[in-house]
């Protein structure tokens, strides 16, 4: 049976001085974080009822409470949002739109939510069981994880650690180390400066664009697929593994996939 969507909204503003830590915990919904005016944090939220068989009306009462007293608390240089600020948001889906100073680091965790982050200094740590993650223009380390959802990362001035179980990963224009643990799906990577790359894909193709003009040492392996790579110096082949150097050697590119092709550009 169709029911009218029930929702509440809120807005909260906080003055801040110096670097900020944003700590977000919630069950479901979406989080958007972007850089804005220095010295000010603006949190806009939309709260929507999730279906609750066991406590009809309880979610609406809780939404009224949260709209009157937004789930955002600033203490010292840390802003807590969602469960981290007000206790459980069970039965409620939260859409958070947060504008922060550029000098902000983010820690976010959810069972089922999409994350979108852009234009902050970082570092960034995000984890969701079911949801997409997008991060761009981050000026330090990015560590993100999704059990069921694609991940897209662009323009990062620092190392990237990314895990997506059986989902696709795209990390382009990375100025730092890249680590992709096993069990990911298809992987597309590119670097703007030479650093170590470790990739392990369970079932998907791997494509890596190396930083222009830089040397690398390469180790590639696939059980079922093709290997495509530039001319290698000191090339060695053993079974499904190829080793060698690009432009005299340098940081290691270690790429493996159980079922898929690997391409190095």
């Amino acid at each position: 049976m169709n029911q009218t969507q029930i929702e509440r909204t809120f807005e909260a503003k906080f003055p801040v001085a110096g670097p900020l830590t944003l700590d977000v915990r919630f069950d479901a919904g979406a989080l958007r974080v972007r850089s804005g005016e220095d010295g000010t944090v603006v949190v806009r939220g939309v709260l929507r009822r999730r279906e609750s068989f066991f406590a009809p009306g309880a979610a609406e009462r809780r939404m009224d409470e949260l709209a009157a007293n937004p789930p955002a608390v600033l203490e010292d240089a840390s802003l807590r949002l969602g469960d981290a600020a007000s206790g459980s948001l069970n039965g409620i889906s939260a859409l958070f739109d947060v504008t922060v100073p550029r000098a902000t680091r983010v820690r976010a965790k959810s069972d089922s939510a999409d994350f979108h982050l852009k234009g902050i200094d970082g570092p960034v740590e995000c984890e969701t069981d079911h949801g997409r993650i997008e991060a761009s223009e981050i000026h330090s380390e990015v560590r993100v994880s999704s059990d069921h959802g694609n991940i897209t990362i662009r323009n990062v001035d620092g190392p990237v650690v990314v895990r997506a179980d059986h989902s696709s990963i795209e990390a382009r224009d990375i100025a730092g180390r890249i680590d992709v643990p096993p069990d990911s799906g298809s992987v597309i990577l590119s670097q703007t400066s030479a650093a170590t790359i470790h990739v392990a894909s369970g079932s998907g193709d791997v494509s890596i664009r190396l930083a222009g003009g830089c040397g690398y040492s390469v180790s590639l392996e696939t059980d079922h697929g093709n290997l495509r790579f530039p001319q290698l110096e000191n090339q060695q082949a053993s079974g499904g593994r190829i080793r060698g150097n690009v432009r005299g050697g340098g940081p290691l590119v270690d790429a493996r996939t159980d079922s898929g092709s690997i391409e190095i550009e």
Side-chain angles (χ1 to χ4, degrees), residues 15-16 27-28 62 64 67 71 82 98 108 137 158 164 166 171 178 180 188 204 223:
V16 295
D27 288 339
R62 181 63 172 145
D64 288 336
V98 189
E137 300 175 24
H166 310 295
I178 303 175
V180 180
I188 300 175
D223 292 335

Side-chain angles (χ1 to χ4, degrees), residues 65-174:
E65 296 172 359
L66 294 170
N69 299 282
V73 174
L74 179 67
E75 291 183 352
D76 299 323
S78 177
L79 178 65
R80 302 195 309 275
L81 184 59
D83 293 352
S86 64
S88 175
L89 298 185
N90 284 343
I92 298 172
S93 175
L95 311 178
F96 295 119
D97 187 330
V98 189
T99 304
V100 297
R102 179 174 290 276
T104 296
R105 70 176 298 166
V106 174
R107 297 192 297 254
K109 186 173 182 179
S110 177
D111 290 336
S112 179
D114 295 335
F115 295 146
H116 307 267
L117 305 98
K118 182 176 181 179
I120 60 174
D121 285 349
V124 165
E125 301 173 59
C126 292
E127 180 180 346
T128 181
D129 291 338
H130 299 267
R132 294 176 290 110
I133 299 176
E134 298 179 1
S136 62
E137 300 175 24
I138 310 299
H139 299 286
S140 58
E141 183 177 26
V142 172
R143 304 179 70 93
V144 295
S145 172
S146 176
D147 289 340
H148 302 280
N150 297 334
I151 296 177
T152 303
I153 302 172
R154 295 179 184 272
N155 299 314
V156 173
D157 295 328
V160 168
V161 180
V162 54
R163 181 183 65 81
D165 286 352
H166 310 295
S167 298
S168 67
I169 293 171
E170 182 178 332
R172 297 180 186 267
D173 299 326
I174 309 303

Side-chain angles (χ1 to χ4, degrees), residues 24-44:
V24 187
R25 301 286 188 276
F26 63 117
D27 288 339
L31 170 67
R32 180 185 183 192
V33 180
R34 51 203 166 99
S35 61
E37 180 182 350
D38 285 343
T40 302
V41 177
V42 180
V43 180
R44 297 179 178 88

Side-chain angles (χ1 to χ4, degrees), residues 185-199:
S186 63
V187 178
I188 300 175
L189 308 174
S190 71
Q191 283 185 329
T192 57
S193 60
T196 300
I197 299 175
H198 289 287
V199 183

Side-chain angles (χ1 to χ4, degrees), residues 177-238:
R177 186 187 74 250
I178 303 175
D179 288 308
V180 180
D183 297 329
S184 61
S186 63
V187 178
I188 300 175
L189 308 174
S190 71
Q191 283 185 329
T192 57
S193 60
T196 300
I197 299 175
H198 289 287
V199 183
S201 174
S203 58
D205 295 337
V206 175
S207 175
I208 302 173
R209 181 182 291 274
L210 306 178
C214 297
Y216 289 85
S217 298
V218 173
S219 177
L220 313 175
E221 182 177 7
T222 180
D223 292 335
H224 304 283
N226 299 317
L227 298 176
R228 295 184 291 271
F229 47 87
Q231 182 67 39
L232 297 180
E233 304 158 4
N234 303 319
Q235 180 174 320
Q236 302 176 32
S238 176

